[in-house]
């Protein structure tokens, strides 16, 4: 009887909004770390074809022979997929609870002279849900293009460097990439701030200011780092 009650209490705790907010925050921060690492790898395009393709090949041989070929990469992919799944699941459940609690009306926004209806005070926070959908769709396209090589605007190639140069030599590919990065930037700016706040880091006015500054800094670095290679390729500063 006591054990059953403890089990029910544990289940309620795991389904609580506090735990869901924390899970969404941790999943989001893991994705931010992945983005930073991915951005760093993309910048190797400036070192030339040999260096970029060599880096791509190295990722598949990490910890060999302890792990099989691409073993470490697949472990990272599984961790990332779990993080993405947890993030999306927690976001959906919390959104559903908010809608249910307000009879489908959603949460109130903070009132201000600019926004009389009063929770989202910034455009970034207001567009989190649709920004996430946009990013998700782009990730699928991005993987099919530069990872799986199923989509190859500009020409197919077994070389990751050539796939990148071929694709970003086309203006509409760069434009679609830039639009997705803008959506990612809004999502990152508010998401980083929200993640640290959900984990208890927002403890005062000064800390809130520092968290906002950190969110802006990471967003600018990540989005800028991702935008530089395609723009340089498009303008002919990086090529075959």
């Amino acid at each position: 009887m006591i054990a059953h009650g403890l089990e029910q209490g544990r289940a309620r705790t795991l389904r609580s909004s506090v735990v869901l907010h924390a899970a969404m925050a941790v999943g989001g921060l893991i994705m931010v770390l992945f983005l930073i690492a991915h951005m760093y790898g993309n910048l190797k395009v400036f070192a030339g074809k040999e260096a970029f393709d060599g880096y791509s090949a190295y990722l598949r041989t990490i910890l060999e022979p302890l792990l099989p070929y691409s073993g470490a990469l697949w472990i990272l992919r599984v961790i990332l997929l779990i993080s993405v799944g947890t993030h999306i699941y927690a976001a959906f459940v919390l959104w559903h609870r908010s809608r249910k609690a307000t009879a489908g009306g959603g949460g109130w926004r903070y009132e201000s002279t600019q926004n009389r209806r009063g929770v989202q005070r910034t455009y970034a926070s207001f567009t989190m849900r649709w920004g996430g959908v946009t990013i998700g769709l782009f990730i699928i396209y991005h993987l099919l293009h530069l990872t799986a090589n199923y989509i190859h605007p500009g020409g197919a190639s077994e070389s990751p460097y050539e796939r990148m140069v071929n694709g970003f030599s086309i203006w509409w590919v760069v434009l679609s990439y830039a639009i997705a990065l803008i959506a990612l930037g809004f999502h990152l700016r508010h998401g980083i701030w929200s993640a640290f706040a959900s984990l208890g880091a927002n403890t005062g006015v000064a800390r809130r200011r520092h968290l906002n500054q950190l969110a802006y800094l990471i967003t600018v670095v990540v989005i800028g780092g991702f935008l530089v290679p395609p723009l340089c390729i498009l303008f002919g500063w990086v090529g075959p």
Side-chain angles (χ1 to χ4, degrees):
M1 190 81 172
I2 295 176
H4 180 67
L6 290 174
E7 188 67 30
Q8 285 185 323
R10 189 180 299 113
R12 282 195 297 269
T13 299
L14 291 175
R15 293 195 301 267
S16 70
S17 295
V18 173
V19 171
L20 287 173
H21 273 292
M24 185 166 64
V26 172
L29 291 176
I30 290 174
M31 287 186 280
V32 171
L33 292 176
F34 169 78
L35 283 171
I36 293 172
H38 189 28
M39 176 205 71
Y40 166 78
N42 279 4
L43 292 175
K44 285 188 172 292
V45 73
F46 293 105
K49 181 178 184 297
E50 184 177 350
F52 191 82
D53 287 352
Y55 173 74
S56 178
Y58 166 74
L59 293 177
R60 290 160 174 77
T61 60
I62 296 175
L63 294 181
E64 278 191 342
L66 181 62
L67 293 176
Y69 181 76
S70 291
L73 192 58
W74 273 107
I75 290 174
L76 292 175
R77 286 169 175 168
V78 169
I79 293 173
L80 183 61
L81 283 172
I82 293 173
S83 301
V84 171
T86 300
H87 190 79
I88 293 173
Y89 170 78
F92 176 79
V93 172
L94 290 168
W95 169 79
H96 180 72
R97 287 180 181 177
S98 174
R99 300 286 294 183
K100 186 176 180 180
T102 58
W108 290 97
R109 299 183 177 91
Y110 291 118
E111 291 186 8
S112 68
T113 54
Q114 292 79 23
N115 184 9
R116 295 292 183 184
R117 294 182 60 191
V119 209
Q120 292 109 346
R121 291 183 295 178
T122 66
Y123 186 75
S125 62
F126 183 73
T127 58
M128 284 296 284
R129 190 182 313 129
W130 291 112
V133 172
T134 302
I135 294 165
L137 293 174
F138 177 76
I139 288 174
I140 295 173
Y141 166 77
H142 180 70
L143 291 174
L144 292 174
H145 175 203
L146 294 176
T147 301
N149 200 22
Y150 289 141
I151 299 173
H152 30 75
S157 175
E158 292 301 316
S159 163
Y161 178 87
E162 290 180 358
R163 287 201 298 272
M164 192 169 183
V165 170
N166 291 346
F168 291 138
S169 296
I170 303 172
W171 70 268
W172 60 263
V173 175
V174 176
L175 178 61
S176 66
Y177 195 77
I179 291 172
L181 284 174
I182 291 171
L184 176 62
F186 283 123
H187 204 83
L188 271 180
R189 212 295 308 166
H190 184 72
I192 293 170
W193 146 256
S194 296
F196 283 113
S198 295
L199 295 174
N202 182 20
T203 57
V205 175
R207 181 62 63 85
R208 185 180 301 115
R209 183 173 63 253
H210 293 155
L211 289 177
N212 267 311
Q213 291 170 347
L214 177 64
Y216 276 114
L217 175 63
I218 294 176
T219 300
V220 170
V221 169
V222 170
I223 302 306
F226 272 112
L227 268 177
V228 168
L231 289 175
C232 288
I233 292 170
L234 179 66
F235 291 120
W237 301 329
V238 174

